Amino acid sequence: MDDRKAPSAAPRDPVALGIDPDIPSVARIYDYYLGGKENFPCDRAKAEEMIRLVPEAPVAARNNRAFLGRVVHTLATEGVRQFIDIGAGLPTQENVHQIARRVDPAVRTVYVDFDPAVLVHARALLTAEDEAIVVEGDARHPAGIFENPELRAYIDLKRPVAVLLVALTHFLSDEQADALVGYVRRAVPSGSYLVVTQLFPGDDPPEYVEEAAAIYSGTNTGAVVGRGRAHIASWFEGMKVLEPGIVRVESWRPRSRVDDPAWRMDTEIDEGAPGILGAVGRIP
Ligand SMILES: C[S@@+](CC[C@H](N)C(=O)[O-])C[C@H]1O[C@@H](n2cnc3c(N)ncnc32)[C@H](O)[C@@H]1O
């Protein structure tokens, strides 16, 4: 994590690119947790404030990212050939298309985000034509994402697709998050997958949960909302939820390879403690 101390290398002439370097961005804060350099002083200050309150925040971010990698590998191995990654973020390696295309180079991935810093960064990362596309979209207006002509020219919405809402829904209100999930479920065909990770305040939420929300109120999303298992389960109602169900992200098939039956639950993990829950559902 030494890189986190390094001065930002990012981004070139941000204002001209539509990026406001003075408003902390949840994508750039997350980038800082992951040890990236696509962040500004205001992002680092927010992240450090958060780390003082919750020292395990960077570990949680890495666990979340690792979950995403395991899920994408699992789904690609199961035959999923299209991914829509909403709230894609800034990571520089082990992105969805890279993981999935190791399974099959024909996999198509669309990255969607509303943060100009993410869009600039993601476009710069793509080197080969057609390996993935990046579209601007706001999860609070899912029709704008699924009706986007660029997305529809690239993804066949008559064929199964995995929609990734990973570390996204906690930046939305209950109403917005429910509407997004409902829209996704209607927009994709049977045999598609919904993947969610969501901040969980714990079975017995500690006081710092409210302080953490206050810290994030000064960011570009203006909020972070923890949710419990019952709320997350409501998003998967009627779906087949893949084993091991709705669990902490680090408990989801640790050491997973679908060709490796040795994956197991880690009994050391406290499922009731605050953290990030994840789940994968197959749409009937
Ligand atoms: C914590 S990052 C997660 C990145 C990635 N999904 C992961 O889990 O590794 C959250 C991302 O969601 C994006 N985001 C937040 N609110 C959004 C919205 N309303 N519409 C689209 N993207 C949003 C942020 O810009 C950021 O890139």
Side-chain angles (χ1 to χ4, degrees):
M1 295 297 282
D2 285 351
D3 279 358
R4 290 195 289 116
K5 306 289 180 226
S8 172
R12 300 73 23 196
D13 193 5
V15 177
L17 296 168
I19 298 165
D20 188 334
D22 296 321
I23 297 180
S25 132
V26 297
R28 299 191 310 245
I29 293 170
Y30 182 72
D31 171 67
Y32 182 78
Y33 293 153
L34 292 177
K37 293 183 181 162
E38 299 286 325
N39 48 71
F40 295 108
C42 71
D43 307 307
R44 297 194 280 277
K46 273 278 176 228
E48 286 297 346
E49 205 183 332
M50 190 65 192
I51 292 168
R52 277 194 295 279
L53 184 67
V54 187
E56 45 294 332
V59 173
R62 286 204 298 277
N63 281 335
N64 176 73
R65 195 69 202 164
F67 164 92
L68 174 64
R70 294 196 301 277
V71 169
V72 169
H73 180 269
T74 301
L75 295 182
T77 307
E78 290 284 323
V80 176
R81 291 295 171 264
Q82 310 189 99
F83 290 82
I84 301 177
D85 184 5
I86 305 179
L90 285 164
T92 49
Q93 51 191 350
E94 290 300 274
N95 281 297
V96 172
H97 76 286
Q98 293 159 324
I99 296 167
R101 285 166 72 94
R102 281 204 292 272
V103 178
D104 180 350
V107 167
R108 292 184 161 219
T109 302
V110 181
Y111 293 110
V112 183
D113 211 286
F114 78 156
D115 184 333
V118 172
L119 302 173
V120 168
H121 172 85
R123 290 190 176 115
L125 267 184
L126 298 180
T127 48
E129 202 178 327
D130 232 29
E131 65 179 353
I133 65 166
V134 182
V135 303
E136 184 174 1
D138 188 331
R140 294 166 296 188
H141 306 290
I145 296 174
F146 285 88
E147 294 299 326
N148 182 310
E150 224 188 317
L151 180 146
R152 293 186 82 96
Y154 189 69
I155 294 284
D156 182 354
L157 286 175
K158 294 198 176 63
R159 289 181 39 233
V161 53
V163 180
L164 314 178
L165 311 178
V166 178
L168 169 70
T169 50
H170 41 253
F171 299 118
L172 305 175
S173 68
D174 282 350
E175 197 181 16
Q176 290 163 347
D178 293 348
L180 172 64
V181 171
Y183 191 99
V184 167
R185 292 185 58 153
R186 291 189 301 277
V188 298
S190 169
S192 293
Y193 289 88
L194 173 69
V195 181
V196 173
T197 73
Q198 158 70 51
L199 271 182
F200 169 59
D203 288 336
D204 183 14
E207 271 171 24
Y208 72 68
V209 166
E210 272 179 35
E211 276 178 70
I215 291 174
Y216 269 84
S217 70
T219 67
N220 65 331
T221 62
V224 67
V225 187
R227 296 190 175 94
R229 280 194 186 75
H231 195 149
I232 299 170
S234 73
W235 295 337
F236 290 92
E237 218 172 278
M239 284 191 210
K240 176 181 184 295
V241 178
L242 270 52
E243 289 296 328
I246 302 170
V247 292
R248 289 174 70 91
V249 285
E250 55 271 45
S251 300
W252 200 92
R253 306 192 183 188
R255 299 191 291 150
S256 160
R257 286 289 181 270
V258 288
D259 54 358
D260 173 7
W263 68 265
R264 59 177 171 74
M265 293 287 290
D266 187 333
T267 49
E268 299 300 312
I269 293 169
D270 176 0
E271 291 291 328
I276 302 177
L277 297 182
V280 182
R282 189 173 192 277
I283 294 172

Coordinates of all heavy atoms in Angstrom, one line a residue, residues 187-217:
A187 N -35.1 -5.7 -17.6 CA -34.4 -5.3 -18.9 C -33.6 -6.5 -19.5 O -33.3 -6.5 -20.7 CB -33.4 -4.2 -18.6
V188 N -33.3 -7.5 -18.7 CA -32.5 -8.6 -19.2 C -33.2 -9.9 -19.3 O -34.2 -10.1 -18.5 CB -31.2 -8.8 -18.3 CG1 -30.3 -7.5 -18.3 CG2 -31.6 -9.1 -16.9
P189 N -32.8 -10.8 -20.2 CA -33.6 -12.0 -20.4 C -33.3 -13.1 -19.3 O -32.4 -13.0 -18.6 CB -33.2 -12.5 -21.7 CG -31.8 -12.0 -21.9 CD -31.7 -10.7 -21.2
S190 N -34.2 -14.1 -19.3 CA -34.0 -15.3 -18.5 C -32.6 -15.9 -18.7 O -32.1 -15.9 -19.8 CB -35.1 -16.3 -18.8 OG -34.9 -17.5 -18.2
G191 N -32.1 -16.3 -17.5 CA -30.7 -16.9 -17.6 C -29.6 -15.8 -17.4 O -28.4 -16.2 -17.4
S192 N -30.0 -14.6 -17.2 CA -29.1 -13.5 -16.9 C -28.8 -13.6 -15.4 O -29.4 -14.2 -14.6 CB -29.7 -12.1 -17.3 OG -29.8 -12.0 -18.7
Y193 N -27.7 -12.8 -15.0 CA -27.3 -12.8 -13.6 C -27.3 -11.4 -13.1 O -27.0 -10.4 -13.8 CB -25.9 -13.4 -13.5 CG -25.8 -14.9 -13.7 CD1 -25.7 -15.4 -15.0 CD2 -26.0 -15.8 -12.7 CE1 -25.6 -16.8 -15.2 CE2 -25.9 -17.1 -12.9 CZ -25.7 -17.6 -14.1 OH -25.7 -19.0 -14.3
L194 N -27.7 -11.3 -11.8 CA -27.5 -10.0 -11.1 C -26.5 -10.2 -10.0 O -26.5 -11.1 -9.2 CB -28.9 -9.6 -10.4 CG -28.8 -8.4 -9.5 CD1 -28.6 -7.1 -10.3 CD2 -30.1 -8.3 -8.7
V195 N -25.5 -9.3 -10.0 CA -24.4 -9.3 -9.0 C -24.5 -8.0 -8.2 O -24.4 -7.0 -8.8 CB -23.0 -9.5 -9.7 CG1 -21.9 -9.6 -8.6 CG2 -23.0 -10.7 -10.6
V196 N -24.5 -8.2 -6.9 CA -24.6 -7.0 -6.0 C -23.6 -7.1 -4.9 O -23.5 -8.2 -4.3 CB -26.0 -6.8 -5.4 CG1 -26.1 -5.7 -4.4 CG2 -27.1 -6.6 -6.5
T197 N -22.9 -6.0 -4.6 CA -22.3 -5.9 -3.3 C -22.8 -4.6 -2.6 O -23.0 -3.6 -3.4 CB -20.8 -5.9 -3.2 OG1 -20.2 -4.7 -3.8 CG2 -20.2 -7.1 -4.0
Q198 N -22.9 -4.6 -1.3 CA -23.6 -3.5 -0.6 C -23.0 -3.4 0.8 O -22.8 -4.4 1.5 CB -25.1 -3.9 -0.6 CG -26.0 -3.2 0.5 CD -26.2 -1.7 0.2 OE1 -26.6 -1.3 -0.8 NE2 -25.9 -0.9 1.3
L199 N -22.8 -2.2 1.2 CA -22.3 -1.9 2.6 C -23.3 -2.4 3.6 O -24.5 -2.2 3.4 CB -22.1 -0.5 2.8 CG -20.7 0.1 2.5 CD1 -20.7 1.6 2.8 CD2 -19.6 -0.6 3.2
F200 N -22.8 -3.1 4.6 CA -23.7 -3.7 5.6 C -23.3 -3.2 6.9 O -22.1 -3.2 7.3 CB -23.5 -5.3 5.5 CG -24.0 -6.0 6.7 CD1 -25.4 -6.0 6.9 CD2 -23.2 -6.9 7.4 CE1 -25.9 -6.8 8.0 CE2 -23.8 -7.6 8.5 CZ -25.1 -7.6 8.7
P201 N -24.2 -2.5 7.7 CA -23.8 -1.9 8.9 C -23.6 -2.9 10.1 O -23.2 -2.5 11.2 CB -25.0 -1.0 9.2 CG -26.2 -1.6 8.5 CD -25.6 -2.3 7.3
G202 N -23.9 -4.1 9.8 CA -23.7 -5.1 10.9 C -25.0 -5.4 11.6 O -26.0 -4.6 11.5
D203 N -25.1 -6.6 12.2 CA -26.3 -7.0 12.9 C -26.6 -6.0 14.1 O -27.7 -5.8 14.5 CB -26.2 -8.4 13.4 CG -26.3 -9.4 12.3 OD1 -26.9 -9.0 11.2 OD2 -25.8 -10.5 12.4
D204 N -25.5 -5.5 14.6 CA -25.6 -4.6 15.8 C -24.8 -3.3 15.4 O -23.6 -3.2 15.9 CB -25.1 -5.3 17.0 CG -25.3 -4.4 18.2 OD1 -26.0 -3.4 18.2 OD2 -24.6 -4.8 19.3
P205 N -25.3 -2.4 14.6 CA -24.5 -1.4 14.0 C -23.7 -0.5 15.1 O -24.4 0.0 16.0 CB -25.5 -0.5 13.2 CG -26.6 -1.4 13.0 CD -26.7 -2.3 14.1
P206 N -22.4 -0.4 14.9 CA -21.7 0.5 15.9 C -21.9 1.9 15.6 O -22.4 2.3 14.5 CB -20.2 0.1 15.6 CG -20.2 -0.4 14.2 CD -21.6 -1.0 13.9
E207 N -21.6 2.8 16.5 CA -21.8 4.2 16.4 C -21.1 4.8 15.2 O -21.6 5.8 14.5 CB -21.4 5.0 17.6 CG -22.4 5.1 18.7 CD -21.9 5.6 20.0 OE1 -20.9 6.3 20.0 OE2 -22.5 5.3 21.0
Y208 N -20.0 4.3 14.8 CA -19.2 4.9 13.7 C -19.9 4.9 12.4 O -19.6 5.6 11.4 CB -17.8 4.3 13.6 CG -17.7 2.9 13.1 CD1 -18.0 2.6 11.7 CD2 -17.2 1.9 13.9 CE1 -17.8 1.4 11.2 CE2 -17.0 0.6 13.3 CZ -17.4 0.4 12.0 OH -17.2 -0.9 11.5
V209 N -21.0 4.0 12.2 CA -21.7 3.9 11.0 C -22.3 5.3 10.6 O -22.2 5.7 9.4 CB -22.8 2.8 11.1 CG1 -23.8 3.0 9.9 CG2 -22.2 1.5 11.1
E210 N -22.8 6.0 11.6 CA -23.4 7.3 11.2 C -22.3 8.3 10.9 O -22.4 9.2 10.0 CB -24.2 7.8 12.4 CG -25.6 7.4 12.3 CD -26.5 7.8 13.5 OE1 -26.2 9.0 14.0 OE2 -27.3 7.0 13.9
E211 N -21.2 8.2 11.6 CA -20.0 9.1 11.3 C -19.5 8.9 9.9 O -19.1 9.8 9.2 CB -18.9 8.9 12.3 CG -19.1 9.6 13.6 CD -17.9 9.3 14.6 OE1 -16.8 9.8 14.3 OE2 -18.2 8.6 15.6
A212 N -19.5 7.6 9.5 CA -19.0 7.3 8.2 C -19.9 7.9 7.1 O -19.4 8.4 6.1 CB -18.9 5.8 8.0
A213 N -21.2 7.8 7.4 CA -22.2 8.4 6.5 C -21.9 9.9 6.3 O -22.0 10.4 5.2 CB -23.6 8.1 6.9
A214 N -21.6 10.5 7.5 CA -21.4 12.0 7.5 C -20.1 12.3 6.6 O -20.1 13.3 5.9 CB -21.3 12.5 8.9
I215 N -19.1 11.5 6.7 CA -17.9 11.7 6.0 C -18.2 11.7 4.5 O -17.9 12.5 3.7 CB -16.8 10.7 6.3 CG1 -16.3 10.9 7.7 CG2 -15.6 10.8 5.3 CD1 -15.3 9.9 8.3
Y216 N -19.0 10.7 4.1 CA -19.3 10.5 2.7 C -20.3 11.5 2.2 O -20.5 11.7 0.9 CB -19.8 9.1 2.4 CG -18.6 8.2 2.0 CD1 -17.9 7.6 3.0 CD2 -18.3 8.0 0.7 CE1 -16.8 6.7 2.6 CE2 -17.2 7.1 0.3 CZ -16.5 6.5 1.3 OH -15.4 5.7 0.9
S217 N -21.0 12.2 3.1 CA -22.0 13.2 2.6 C -21.3 14.4 1.9 O -21.9 15.1 1.1 CB -22.8 13.8 3.8 OG -22.0 14.6 4.6

